Amino acid sequence: QVQLVESGGGVVQPGRSLRLSCAASGFTFSHFGLHWVRQAPGKGLEWVAVTWYDGSNTSYAESVQGRFIISRHNSENTLSLQMNSLRTEDTAVYYCARGKYSNFVYYFDSWGQGTLVTVSS
Amino acid sequence: DIQMTQSPSSLSASVGDGVTITCRASQSISTYLNWYQHKPGKAPKLLIYAASSFQRGVPSRFSGSGSGTDFTLTISSLQPEDFATYYCQQSYSTPWTFGQGTKVEIK
């Protein structure tokens, strides 16, 4: 079955960098858009970034544009999120999610259990 | 960006009760609306896509309806495992956006 497992979270100081990874299995990795979605403490879900199929096209939320870089390694079934210039407001649980189209509607049909990133001095 | 507003933000209900959660979009999104269930420490779970289509394996007590700007998620008879936070999400345009969530608690 589809499995997504995040890793790489931890405590980091403001202004520093951190790299998250997501290991995927159970599906043809290169056939799907892959996303990062986050949830800050006490808040709702916020979409962060997407990388499409071969990784040549990416898109970001305005809140992370220019600081975060999403990438994928189709040969290894791995998704990454390089987070630079971290801010306290980036503190959140970060989920990787698979996107899928059906009936012309796009949705996140599989999610990992998340990895916690805490930005604090 | 399209804003998604859910109501109520939280509700208390008993096992066996029927529950309705509302989601309103800041502009028309046709039926590009999805619903998720999220429990603490767990992966979010897709329940409904395209406003009313069931994700495989989701119990039939969950149903979705609506189009345009107004949508509802209905749980016909709450079960103990349904106590969770529910989110709507629009996929009409990027950035994809979620409602703020509705927490369903045990009365």
Side-chain angles (χ1 to χ4, degrees):
Chain A
Q1 82 263 24
V2 174
Q3 194 167 12
L4 298 167
V5 180
E6 303 93 338
S7 61
V11 181
V12 61
Q13 293 179 327
R16 304 298 289 264
S17 299
L18 197 66
R19 185 178 183 89
L20 306 182
S21 295
C22 174
S25 60
F27 64 100
T28 304
F29 190 76
S30 61
H31 287 189
F32 293 86
L34 293 165
H35 304 253
W36 288 99
V37 178
R38 68 184 180 183
Q39 183 178 34
K43 302 291 187 179
L45 299 169
E46 178 190 19
W47 173 80
V48 173
V50 60
T51 175
W52 296 103
Y53 312 118
D54 65 357
S56 59
N57 288 309
T58 59
S59 183
Y60 299 89
E62 192 173 328
S63 58
V64 306
Q65 179 79 48
R67 299 187 299 122
F68 289 12
I69 301 171
I70 188 172
S71 61
R72 61 192 296 161
H73 310 279
N74 286 351
S75 61
E76 299 173 5
N77 289 358
T78 301
L79 173 71
S80 297
L81 185 68
Q82 177 67 40
M83 303 186 294
N84 302 320
S85 303
L86 282 161
R87 305 168 179 168
T88 54
E89 56 264 36
D90 295 319
T91 293
V93 176
Y94 285 74
Y95 298 95
C96 66
R98 187 181 82 167
K100 184 177 180 180
Y101 277 104
S102 182
N103 297 348
F104 303 104
V105 176
Y106 192 72
Y107 49 86
F108 307 119
D109 74 329
S110 296
W111 300 65
Q113 294 205 324
T115 187
L116 175 62
V117 173
T118 303
V119 184
S120 174
S121 54
Chain B
D1 299 1
I2 297 176
Q3 306 301 316
M4 307 300 293
T5 304
Q6 289 179 231
S7 61
S9 296
S10 64
L11 64 89
S12 295
S14 301
V15 172
D17 286 350
V19 165
T20 297
I21 298 168
T22 297
C23 177
R24 175 165 288 177
S26 60
Q27 67 180 74
S28 177
I29 59 170
S30 184
T31 57
Y32 293 85
L33 190 283
N34 309 311
W35 290 98
Y36 302 87
Q37 177 192 67
H38 192 200
K39 297 179 181 179
K42 301 289 189 181
K45 177 184 176 182
L46 175 69
L47 298 175
I48 303 285
Y49 64 93
S52 60
S53 296
F54 296 98
Q55 172 69 343
R56 186 168 41 197
V58 172
S60 59
R61 62 181 179 272
F62 291 93
S63 64
S65 65
S67 66
T69 61
D70 295 312
F71 303 86
T72 59
L73 174 70
T74 299
I75 310 172
S76 60
S77 177
L78 269 174
Q79 298 302 300
E81 61 269 28
D82 299 337
F83 292 95
T85 300
Y86 294 85
Y87 293 93
C88 61
Q89 173 249 325
Q90 65 82 18
S91 59
Y92 182 82
S93 66
T94 57
W96 296 281
T97 48
F98 294 84
Q100 82 278 15
T102 295
K103 187 174 184 179
V104 177
E105 299 177 298
I106 301 173
K107 182 182 286 184

